């Protein structure tokens, strides 16, 4: 676990307790922000600005090549697709400046998107929520747990599963978001 999450590693128990309380308060604030926003991208941009991770709090999606792309067992049922209907998969690291805030996996129904959006999702570095924003969507939180969930990297502090629904209610995407310990760390300029 990261140094800023360890209790009292470099100081007295009292200092460790104060650090633990600050870390807990910060994690609670991140959880509330993610629960409040319809878009995880918007929530992370606000978090980036609040924490001072970058001068420009723009969130970028860096593609992750390789790895498991098989959808979780309940994804197809939640997306209301047949076993043979194509799903697209996108695995990205959402960053603010040089700070990786989330490792996100997204299974979505490309047939429910206009061709130009599918193309942007395939070749661009814009987050999913930013690309589909013109369609209007609602984020339905399925589960949230502290720590590493299935398929998440070891430094995950919070795992969220959600369903993205279009304005009319049709399910579009099933997402698994793994929020990194860097969310609770010092801003790069403070190092």
């Amino acid at each position: 676990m990261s140094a800023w999450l360890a209790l009292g590693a470099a100081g007295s128990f009292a200092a460790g307790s104060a650090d633990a309380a600050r870390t807990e308060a910060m994690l609670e604030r991140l959880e509330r922000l993610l629960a409040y926003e319809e878009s995880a991208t918007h929530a992370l941009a606000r978090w980036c600005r609040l924490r001072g991770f970058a001068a420009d709090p723009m969130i970028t999606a860096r593609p992750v090549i390789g790895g498991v792309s098989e959808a979780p067992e309940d994804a197809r049922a939640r997306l209301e697709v047949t076993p043979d209907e194509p799903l697209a998969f996108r695995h990205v690291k959402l960053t603010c400046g040089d700070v990786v805030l989330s490792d996100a996996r997204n299974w979505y129904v490309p047939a429910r998107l206009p061709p130009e959006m599918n193309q942007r999702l395939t070749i661009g570095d814009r987050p999913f929520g930013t690309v589909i924003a013109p369609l209007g969507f609602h984020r339905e939180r399925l589960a949230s747990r502290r720590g590493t969930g299935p398929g998440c990297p070891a430094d995950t502090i919070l795992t969220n599963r959600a369903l993205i629904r279009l304005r009319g209610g049709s399910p579009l995407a099933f997402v698994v978001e793994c929020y990194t310990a860097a969310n609770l760390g010092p801003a790069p300029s403070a190092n």
Side-chain angles (χ1 to χ4, degrees), residues 33-159:
L33 184 59
L34 288 165
Y36 174 77
E37 291 281 353
E38 287 292 339
S39 167
T41 304
H42 290 150
L44 288 176
R46 286 182 61 191
W47 186 250
C48 180
R49 186 173 34 262
L50 287 168
R51 297 296 324 281
F53 287 139
D56 179 8
M58 186 169 89
I59 302 300
T60 302
R62 294 182 186 163
V64 175
I65 308 302
V68 177
S69 64
E70 189 172 326
E73 285 184 29
D74 58 336
R76 284 191 167 275
R78 290 186 183 277
L79 290 170
E80 300 173 10
V81 294
T82 63
D84 59 337
E85 190 169 351
L87 290 182
F89 175 67
R90 191 171 196 232
H91 181 188
V92 298
K93 291 190 183 294
L94 296 176
T95 64
C96 181
D98 292 330
V99 180
V100 176
L101 301 175
S102 175
D103 182 295
R105 291 165 180 82
N106 184 328
W107 294 267
Y108 62 97
V109 185
R112 296 179 186 159
L113 288 175
E116 64 276 3
M117 285 187 183
N118 278 312
Q119 183 178 15
R120 277 187 259 152
L121 289 169
T122 302
I123 62 171
D125 67 353
R126 295 178 68 198
F128 190 83
T130 303
V131 172
I132 69 164
L135 300 177
F137 65 89
H138 167 72
R139 179 184 179 82
E140 179 183 323
R141 192 156 104 177
L142 302 174
S144 182
R145 77 181 239 195
R146 289 186 178 187
T148 304
C152 289
D155 73 338
T156 300
I157 56 165
L158 180 65
T159 303

